[in-house]
Structures are given as C-alpha cells and as structure tokens.
Amino acid sequence: MELHDVWFVLIAVLWTGYFFLEGFDFGVGILTRLLARDRAEKRVLINTIGPVWDGNEVWLLTAGGATFAAFPEWYATLFSGFYLPLLLILVCLIVRGVAFEYRAKRPEEHWQRNWETAIFWTSLIPAFLWGVAFGNIVRGVKIDAEFEYVGGVADLLNPYALLGGLVTLTLFTFHGTVFTALKTVGAIRERARRLALRVGLVTAVLAASFLLWTQAARGDGESLIAMLVAVGALVAALVANQAGREGWSFTLSGVTIVAAVAMLFLTLFPNVMPSTLDADWSLTVTNASSSPYTLKIMTWLAVVATPVVMLYQGWTYWVFRKRIGTQHIADPVH
C-alpha cells in the first residue's frame, strides 16, 4: 500500500472519529429544544457534554489539517467549491462554542434563553450540512480539467445530498438521545429512551434508503458488508434501547456511524472527489496527493501524536463518566 493510500485511510478514520464523537453532542444540542422541559433539564443536557464537546472538535481540526497536508488538491477544490456551506458550518461551530461558555454568565431569562436557542440551531445546521457535503463528495461534483469546481451552490442541493443531510441529522439526534439516556438519571432518562425509539425508527428508514442508493450507484462487495453492518447495528441499538441497555445502545449507534462512514469512503476510493463532467477529471488519491517525502514526515508525526491525543481524550471521558440529573445541578452563581 502506497503512502497516499494510507493517508486516505487515516483521513477516513479521522472523519469517522469526528462524526462518532461530535455526532452525539450535536444530538444533545438538538435535544435542548426537543427533550428538556425546563431550565434545569437544559442545564443537565448541556452538562453531559460540557467537559468533552471542545475535545471532540479536535478531530475536525485534525481531519482538515491532514487533508490540507496530504491531499492539497482535494482540500483546495473542496473548500472553494463548498465554500458557502463550509463557511456556514464554521460560523455555527464558533457561535456554538461561545454559547456554551456565555450562557450562564448572566442570570437574566432572555439572556440564557437566547444562548440556548443558539445552541439548538448551531447543532442542527451543521448536523444537516455535513451530510449534504459528504453526499456531494461521494456522488461527485462538476470538476473541470484543471481540477476546479465549476458548479454553483444550487448544484449541491440535489436529492441524494439532501437525503444524506437528513440521515446525518436524524442519526446524530438518535446518537445524542441514547447518549443522554446513558448519562442521566430520573425522568429525563426515561423520556430520552422513549424519544430514542421514535427518532431511531425515522433514522432507520432514511439511512436504509440512503445507503441502498449509495450501494446501487457506486457500491461493491466491501461496501455492501459495511452497509449491512450499519443497518444491523442501528436495529440492534433500537432493541438495546428498548431493553434499557443504554451502554449497548450507545455503542451500537456508534457502530452505525462508523460503518456508514466507512461505506462512503469505500465507495469513494480511489477517488477523493469524482467529477460528474468527465471521469478523467476526477481527483484521486494519486493526482491530489502531496509528495512522498511530505507524506513520510506526516506519517511519523501521526505515529507519535495520535496515541497521546487518544489517551488524554479517553481519560477525560473516564473522569466524567458518571450519570447526572437535576438534583446535581447547583444554583447559579453570578
């Protein structure tokens, strides 16, 4: 296996880790409007992800940086062609981080309510747009002979990509719902389990439709296996949720995300960004990659840094592993 193939796999792993981790905290952000009944319950939801949400975003930064360094042509075409949706995602992530930090800085009702509204929308919009973006990457976009995107924003809003957006939105919401059931106690835990069933059933229909469409259009034997794993894990997550096994349900919803993202990258390889104008104009792991020397240096850096990052992030989750409820929420101090 060549180094550019290795880095394609590593970037796929980084995006998978990002969607697994950021997926549930996007879902929890959405639940602040769907599940919480009062301010105390909203605080419970926000506190479940408070210690980890910023660490989860490290995976996005690493994935973007790795793409820039390992596949500069892919990075340039992707960020120029998808400029507006990616800018909107970036703005949402900035506002979302500010909302987490500033929500409790003042006691006024309208101040906290406005920041909670910001958390909801800045969780929902990226959850949808990431699916649209990856749907277009897999489907292919208008790339010319100079490897430049020559389409418009309207070209990105095609049925396949929009369905992909709905899948990531509902899947992340389901992932966040089972995470909430895993991390809370009392009434909010029970309501989370009931909501997980409803959201999960909708997710199963949308995800099966999207993955079948992907398999029919670009799939092979390996992607078929990944699709079956994704669908089977989602069904098993629903069963575990109904049985009150929140740990298994969360694990299986994570397996669903991992297998679904793996399927997308399997159908994409060896392309990194197919051209719908001419197959010869597609960006591939070969024509979009950096020099072998650059990839070699990056590989050594990844070997050293990756275990460190994973260890400290795993330690964070271990420290904040306990369940919480409204009884654990202290009165605000200003």
Side-chain angles (χ1 to χ4, degrees):
M1 180 181 288
E2 301 289 338
L3 278 179
H4 51 66
D5 297 331
V6 171
W7 273 97
F8 179 86
V9 174
L10 290 176
I11 288 172
V13 170
L14 290 171
W15 280 110
T16 302
Y18 173 66
F19 288 143
F20 180 97
L21 296 172
E22 189 87 307
F24 72 74
D25 70 47
F26 280 149
V28 172
I30 294 169
L31 292 179
T32 58
R33 180 70 63 88
L34 302 182
L35 185 65
R37 292 181 175 177
D38 54 33
R39 177 126 296 115
E41 290 190 349
K42 289 182 179 180
R43 290 180 63 190
V44 169
L45 290 174
I46 293 172
N47 285 359
T48 62
I49 59 174
V52 299
W53 68 267
D54 48 354
N56 294 344
E57 292 187 354
V58 170
W59 290 78
L60 173 61
L61 298 175
T62 309
T67 303
F68 172 78
F71 299 101
E73 286 283 359
W74 184 13
Y75 183 93
T77 304
L78 176 65
F79 278 80
S80 61
F82 293 19
Y83 180 80
L84 287 178
L86 292 179
L87 177 62
L88 182 55
I89 290 174
L90 177 61
V91 170
C92 285
L93 294 180
I94 293 172
V95 173
R96 187 168 179 264
V98 173
F100 282 131
E101 298 296 333
Y102 275 73
R103 174 194 163 275
K105 296 299 183 183
R106 289 171 57 179
E108 291 87 352
E109 175 78 15
H110 71 276
W111 172 272
Q112 296 190 5
R113 184 174 62 250
N114 289 341
W115 284 120
E116 288 162 1
T117 300
I119 291 172
F120 170 77
W121 286 109
T122 56
S123 298
L124 185 148
I125 292 172
F128 175 74
L129 288 181
W130 279 127
V132 174
F134 270 82
N136 278 293
I137 291 173
V138 173
R139 173 182 176 270
V141 292
K142 294 180 178 179
I143 299 175
D144 64 12
E146 302 298 322
F147 301 135
E148 295 182 359
Y149 179 71
V150 294
V153 175
D155 295 312
L156 303 178
L157 303 178
N158 54 80
Y160 177 79
L162 292 174
L163 178 58
L166 291 175
V167 170
T168 52
L169 175 59
T170 55
L171 182 55
F172 291 169
T173 304
F174 174 71
H175 197 40
T177 308
V178 295
F179 177 79
T180 300
L182 176 64
K183 287 289 291 179
T184 58
V185 295
I188 193 169
R189 174 189 178 191
E190 296 303 318
R191 293 204 310 276
R193 285 176 52 197
R194 292 195 296 270
L195 181 60
L197 176 62
R198 298 195 295 271
V199 175
L201 291 174
V202 174
T203 303
V205 173
L206 292 174
S209 302
F210 178 75
L211 295 179
L212 284 171
W213 191 344
T214 305
Q215 179 65 25
R218 307 182 62 88
D220 56 16
E222 293 178 343
S223 63
L224 177 61
I225 293 173
M227 183 193 75
L228 294 176
V229 171
V231 175
L234 182 55
V235 173
L238 286 169
V239 174
N241 175 73
Q242 288 301 102
R245 303 297 297 273
E246 290 99 343
W248 277 108
S249 183
F250 177 71
T251 301
L252 289 165
S253 69
V255 171
T256 302
I257 293 174
V258 171
V261 176
M263 179 189 179
L264 295 183
F265 277 94
L266 284 169
T267 59
L268 190 60
F269 185 81
N271 295 319
V272 295
M273 212 166 176
S275 172
T276 57
L277 300 179
D278 189 322
D280 292 334
W281 298 345
S282 297
L283 289 168
T284 68
V285 293
T286 303
N287 63 25
S289 69
S290 294
S291 67
Y293 182 69
T294 300
L295 295 178
K296 185 177 180 179
I297 294 175
M298 289 176 60
T299 302
W300 281 110
L301 289 174
V303 168
V304 174
T306 302
V308 176
V309 173
M310 296 185 72
L311 281 172
Y312 84 70
Q313 193 164 23
W315 177 79
T316 302
Y317 278 93
W318 174 256
V319 169
F320 295 99
R321 66 189 182 278
K322 292 184 179 180
R323 296 177 183 265
I324 62 173
T326 53
Q327 67 271 28
H328 301 114
I329 301 298
D331 294 332
V333 178
H334 300 280

